[in-house]
Amino acid sequence: MITREEIQNIAILSKLFIDENELDTLTQDMAQIITFADTINTAVEELEDFEDINNLSNVFREDEVLPSYDRSLILKNVDGGENGYFPVKKRV
Amino acid sequence: MTYELVSGLETHIELSTKTKIFCGCTTAFGSEPNTNCCPICIGLPGTLPKLNHQVVRYAIMAGLATNCQINNISKMDRKNYVYPDLSKAYQVSQFDKPLCKNGYITLDSGKKINILRIHIEEDAGKLVHERGDTFVDYNRGGVPLIEIVTEPDFRSIDEVKEYVEKLQLIMKYVGVSDCKMQEGSLRCDVNISVRPQGEEKLGTRTEIKNMNSFTFMAKALQYEYDRQIDVIESGEQVIQETRRYNDDTGETESMRGKEDAHDYRYFREPDLVTISTTDEEIEQIRSLLPELPSAKLDRYINEYGISATDAAIIAKYRKVAEFFDEACEGVKAQKIVSNLIISQIFRRFPTDGEKEDFEISITAKMLNDLVLLIDNGKLNMNLAKSTLEKMLDTGKPVSELVSEKDLSGVDESALRQICEEIVSANPSAVSDFKNGKTNAFKSLIGGVMKATKGRADAMLATKILEELIK
């Protein structure tokens, strides 16, 4: 069963702020989501293990240089990117 | 009480591919910030990565060169963490199915340092801190890395240093990376713990991140070893955490509590398909591997009879070793080649970096021609040395610098006649020598060399002169 502490830890790792009084509800919601996802474990396995759902392998590109984007496009959605960098907001 | 150091290493090496791991942007170093970027590099939603085939080949080469097994089936995973050097909030790496596993590198002592795994991943962007603000350059984001993880097999700082030097040399030989520590293309994270001598159980470890110089690494390890002993001796406990080495203070300082693997919530990268490599493909890559440094060293010492010190100097630089090998083609006394390189050619390449790049004005074939003449007794050592100087100055082959006449040398009877003339023309030098002034002999030899315009074999001239004076 998922615990309040686990929810709190996930929030810390994701840099999310969670109010103390939200924790119980979130814990319950998350528990429900996990229980729902767990139903897949009850499925009967008749087929071999597969490595990936697409059953594809080895989709590669060769090592050939393509033009990069113009920097103005790369920084288009950025406030304060005038010096050519992405500025980082101070973290709380 | 004495304490034993226990250390393991994670080495990140930037691969020398032309393009990034998941897109066609260049990996060139030193470009203007954010100019080698595309929507994949900055992690825009809706973009799809496509794996660079060369990254897989290089990683397998690195694995084979360090005695690893190659996993036939491998895959990419997402390693989740929130930090601005990665715009996606995850790094595409490998978790439970790395490309290579269970290798080792042998130290000079014969001790094996076991390599747990080698996996491929993308490098993160670079944070620039300026006047209290932080900025990100994503040019490095997506540059392909291999991470080489060892078991905690190191018991001394010297072992760590030797391993990194050997690893660096192997990767340069194989050609998968330039391994330039100063440019950050080889960086080490060091795990370190201490335990009382004789104790089996491992102590709590700390990790020192991102060291890109041997000097820093040695200092940081020493500091951390002493610090952990102090903590234990004062009755406290070492905390498992990530630390950074501050070269200004010479100390390591706490960065953050160490994440456990489950904190990264690894899961399969759904945008990339399985990497499958057949045994035939692995053997094909193995056949492309060049002779590795340890094998070269062994050949130089045991087959060529070169001293271990000289052999190590030659093998230390890939380009020098290749030049040396080519210059030795058909040569009976390879030692002459190594001597000419170390004592003469290296004078023009004083620094480590210059030897590394080894931009020499003559080809290895030209040196080979010169040495074959020495080998066949057509050119004496003195003349060979001065000819080599001219060759290095002009880049011209020996045939353009030495005449047929020079090459004919001076045969023994002609040389004997010249020696006789010199002896009779310099009675004072002869009597000085007989009276114990050994320096007087040099002037006689000098006279012979002058008379033969340096073509005489100095050893033979010495022998004849000694006979005459006796």
Side-chain angles (χ1 to χ4, degrees):
Chain A
M1 203 57 196
I2 193 147
T3 64
R4 276 170 65 100
E5 289 67 36
E6 281 169 321
I7 294 292
Q8 236 159 356
N9 187 36
I10 292 168
I12 290 166
L13 293 170
S14 314
K15 310 283 188 285
L16 293 174
F17 177 76
I18 290 177
D19 205 77
E20 184 64 26
N21 56 35
E22 288 176 294
L23 263 178
D24 284 327
T25 335
L26 276 170
T27 309
Q28 280 170 24
D29 287 352
M30 188 60 89
Q32 274 179 21
I33 292 168
I34 289 171
T35 314
F36 175 67
D38 272 348
T39 52
I40 204 159
N41 291 341
T42 61
V44 184
E45 289 178 62
E46 287 178 350
L47 299 168
E48 286 177 33
D49 279 2
F50 56 88
E51 284 301 334
D52 69 87
I53 198 156
N54 305 310
N55 210 13
L56 281 174
S57 62
N58 296 352
V59 179
F60 296 123
R61 36 172 283 275
E62 286 313 310
D63 188 25
E64 286 155 12
V65 179
L66 295 173
S68 293
Y69 276 47
D70 195 275
R71 186 162 70 186
S72 58
L73 279 172
I74 292 292
L75 294 170
K76 200 173 172 184
N77 298 331
V78 177
D79 280 339
E82 294 77 15
N83 61 355
Y85 289 95
F86 287 83
V88 179
K89 287 203 178 111
K90 287 224 164 44
R91 284 201 278 141
V92 188
Chain B
M1 195 188 296
T2 47
Y3 288 85
E4 182 179 52
L5 174 138
V6 177
S7 175
L9 228 61
E10 294 169 15
T11 310
H12 290 90
I13 294 178
E14 273 182 6
L15 297 176
S16 301
T17 53
K18 295 200 265 303
T19 66
K20 294 189 179 181
I21 183 167
F22 299 127
C23 67
C25 288
T26 174
T27 53
F29 179 77
S31 307
E32 284 291 302
N34 295 306
T35 53
N36 302 339
C37 292
C38 73
I40 292 176
C41 305
I42 57 171
L44 290 187
T47 52
L48 279 177
K50 200 170 177 187
L51 185 56
N52 184 341
H53 202 174
Q54 191 66 6
V55 171
V56 177
R57 290 193 203 103
Y58 275 173
I60 293 175
M61 282 170 90
L64 292 173
T66 49
N67 312 294
C68 286
Q69 296 165 21
I70 310 301
N71 276 324
N72 295 106
I73 297 291
S74 179
K75 67 173 172 79
M76 306 304 295
D77 297 280
R78 289 188 183 179
K79 178 183 183 181
N80 297 279
Y81 70 89
V82 180
Y83 197 64
D85 62 356
L86 274 174
S87 55
K88 303 193 291 284
Y90 59 82
Q91 178 191 30
V92 181
S93 179
Q94 298 194 289
F95 183 52
D96 55 340
K97 287 184 180 169
L99 268 173
C100 320
K101 63 181 179 188
N102 302 339
Y104 61 86
I105 284 181
T106 311
L107 301 181
D108 288 342
S109 63
K111 175 176 173 175
K112 277 182 183 168
I113 300 299
N114 290 294
I115 292 172
L116 192 63
R117 56 186 280 154
I118 301 180
H119 66 253
I120 55 177
E121 63 186 24
E122 59 180 337
D123 206 347
K126 199 175 164 192
L127 297 188
V128 181
H129 303 281
E130 218 168 87
R131 279 177 261 113
D133 290 319
T134 302
F135 300 96
V136 200
D137 171 9
Y138 287 115
N139 280 348
R140 200 180 64 188
V143 168
L145 296 177
I146 48 175
E147 179 175 332
I148 302 164
V149 185
T150 74
E151 299 279 3
D153 285 348
F154 300 100
R155 294 293 174 271
S156 73
I157 297 172
D158 285 342
E159 284 183 355
V160 173
K161 188 165 182 284
E162 189 189 336
Y163 164 83
V164 178
E165 281 173 346
K166 286 210 151 60
L167 183 67
Q168 194 180 23
L169 194 58
I170 291 169
M171 294 306 152
K172 282 187 198 168
Y173 263 63
V174 176
V176 301
S177 173
D178 59 17
C179 293
K180 285 187 180 159
M181 287 183 107
Q182 68 280 11
E183 287 183 10
S185 57
L186 187 155
R187 317 190 286 269
C188 294
D189 299 345
V190 188
N191 283 302
I192 163 171
S193 64
V194 299
R195 62 183 173 191
Q197 202 79 45
E199 169 70 52
E200 290 272 312
K201 206 167 141 268
L202 292 172
T204 305
R205 68 170 194 271
T206 60
E207 183 179 14
I208 316 170
K209 281 268 186 205
N210 265 334
M211 280 176 295
N212 58 356
S213 119
F214 284 117
T215 327
F216 285 4
M217 205 152 68
K219 282 187 195 166
L221 269 167
Q222 186 63 51
Y223 179 85
E224 191 56 19
Y225 172 72
D226 294 338
R227 187 192 69 87
Q228 289 188 12
I229 293 172
D230 284 348
V231 168
I232 292 167
E233 299 262 284
S234 67
E236 289 169 49
Q237 289 193 332
V238 175
I239 302 163
Q240 186 184 336
E241 62 183 353
T242 301
R243 299 177 72 86
R244 129 175 12 104
Y245 178 67
N246 181 337
D247 192 48
D248 294 332
T249 60
E251 295 174 359
T252 62
E253 50 203 38
S254 181
M255 274 171 82
R256 55 173 191 259
K258 169 73 187 164
E259 295 88 352
D260 285 318
H262 67 251
D263 284 339
Y264 288 120
R265 295 151 292 142
Y266 280 98
F267 64 90
R268 186 184 173 120
E269 165 58 77
D271 289 341
L272 289 161
V273 303
T274 304
I275 305 164
S276 144
T277 315
T278 64
D279 289 342
E280 290 73 37
E281 284 166 328
I282 295 167
E283 286 319 306
Q284 205 258 334
I285 293 174
R286 194 193 300 276
S287 72
L288 295 175
L289 287 183
E291 185 182 32
L292 294 175
S294 53
K296 263 203 201 307
L297 206 59
D298 192 56
R299 181 161 58 85
Y300 294 168
I301 296 169
N302 297 320
E303 282 181 35
Y304 291 180
I306 295 169
S307 75
T309 323
D310 285 0
I313 295 172
I314 301 264
K316 188 178 169 194
Y317 309 96
R318 191 188 82 178
K319 287 186 182 164
V320 173
E322 284 168 2
F323 184 90
F324 172 71
D325 282 340
E326 207 184 322
C328 282
E329 285 290 311
V331 169
K332 289 193 287 283
Q334 294 92 348
K335 213 174 162 168
I336 296 177
V337 185
S338 61
N339 282 342
L340 288 176
I341 291 177
I342 292 169
S343 65
Q344 207 173 338
I345 295 178
F346 272 4
R347 280 209 296 266
R348 292 168 188 246
F349 301 88
T351 66
D352 231 27
E354 284 166 298
K355 290 187 192 82
E356 190 77 56
D357 296 336
F358 205 54
E359 285 167 2
I360 185 168
S361 55
I362 59 166
T363 63
K365 180 76 183 61
M366 291 181 191
L367 181 62
N368 180 248
D369 289 342
L370 180 82
V371 177
L372 285 175
L373 290 172
I374 305 171
D375 237 14
N376 300 335
K378 287 193 175 168
L379 199 61
N380 70 58
M381 212 51 206
N382 284 329
L383 199 53
K385 282 182 179 168
S386 61
T387 307
L388 180 57
E389 283 303 315
K390 284 184 208 150
M391 289 167 69
L392 292 168
D393 285 338
T394 61
K396 287 181 180 165
V398 64
S399 57
E400 288 183 33
L401 296 167
V402 177
S403 67
E404 282 300 314
K405 197 169 145 254
D406 291 328
L407 286 183
S408 61
V410 180
D411 70 35
E412 192 170 342
S413 66
L415 187 58
R416 183 170 293 275
Q417 200 185 333
I418 291 165
C419 288
E420 281 166 3
E421 286 164 16
I422 293 290
V423 168
S424 59
N426 297 284
S428 62
V430 174
S431 65
D432 281 352
F433 177 68
K434 283 183 173 165
N435 290 329
K437 289 188 184 167
T438 45
N439 266 341
F441 196 75
K442 280 188 187 158
S443 77
L444 293 173
I445 284 283
V448 174
M449 296 315 281
K450 201 175 163 195
T452 58
K453 297 200 172 77
R455 286 181 292 126
D457 181 340
M459 298 277 277
L460 187 60
T462 306
K463 195 173 139 247
I464 296 172
L465 281 174
E466 279 171 352
E467 285 170 14
L468 290 173
I469 296 172
K470 241 188 255 169

